[in-house]
Amino acid sequence: MRKLIEYLENMMNDAENFLKFLLDESQIMFLDDVCQMLRVSVRSMSNYRKKGLINGIQLNGNVIFIKPLLMLDLLKQYYVQNYGPYKG
């Protein structure tokens, strides 16, 4: 699990390739989609974002999530719950 997180973080460090990947529309999810995927309420997602557990971007009143970053946040939370504090 730790190696997967490190791999994803290293991938994000290669800024040029990562930006090309992020600019693909298929990598964007809206708040409702994420809530449905995680089976949580909009209020719960708001609390997660406020606590810094899951990062989203607010644009024109809409909250969007970038799939790879969302998955990295979820993997980190999984790691913390199962293995203790993540020091990456």
Side-chain angles (χ1 to χ4, degrees):
M1 179 63 66
R2 188 170 182 73
K3 287 187 179 195
L4 177 60
I5 293 171
E6 289 172 2
Y7 170 77
L8 291 171
E9 287 177 335
N10 288 336
M11 183 181 83
M12 288 190 304
N13 289 334
D14 185 4
E16 182 179 346
N17 290 333
F18 189 64
L19 284 175
K20 288 178 187 176
F21 181 69
L22 292 181
L23 294 177
D24 182 2
E25 189 175 312
S26 68
Q27 297 304 317
I28 295 174
M29 292 182 76
F30 291 95
L31 179 61
D32 293 337
D33 300 326
V34 175
C35 289
Q36 185 177 7
M37 179 185 79
L38 298 177
R39 296 183 177 146
V40 298
S41 68
V42 172
R43 182 68 184 149
S44 293
M45 281 301 297
S46 175
N47 288 333
Y48 298 154
R49 289 180 51 235
K50 192 179 292 185
K51 292 177 183 178
L53 301 176
I54 296 178
N55 298 303
I57 301 167
Q58 187 146 1
L59 293 174
N60 297 329
N62 294 320
V63 178
I64 63 168
F65 299 87
I66 300 171
K67 284 182 185 179
L69 300 177
L70 175 63
M71 296 305 146
L72 183 58
D73 288 341
L74 294 173
L75 282 171
K76 284 181 180 178
Q77 292 310 310
Y78 177 83
Y79 186 91
V80 167
Q81 288 179 357
N82 292 286
Y83 303 103
Y86 175 74
K87 298 173 185 165

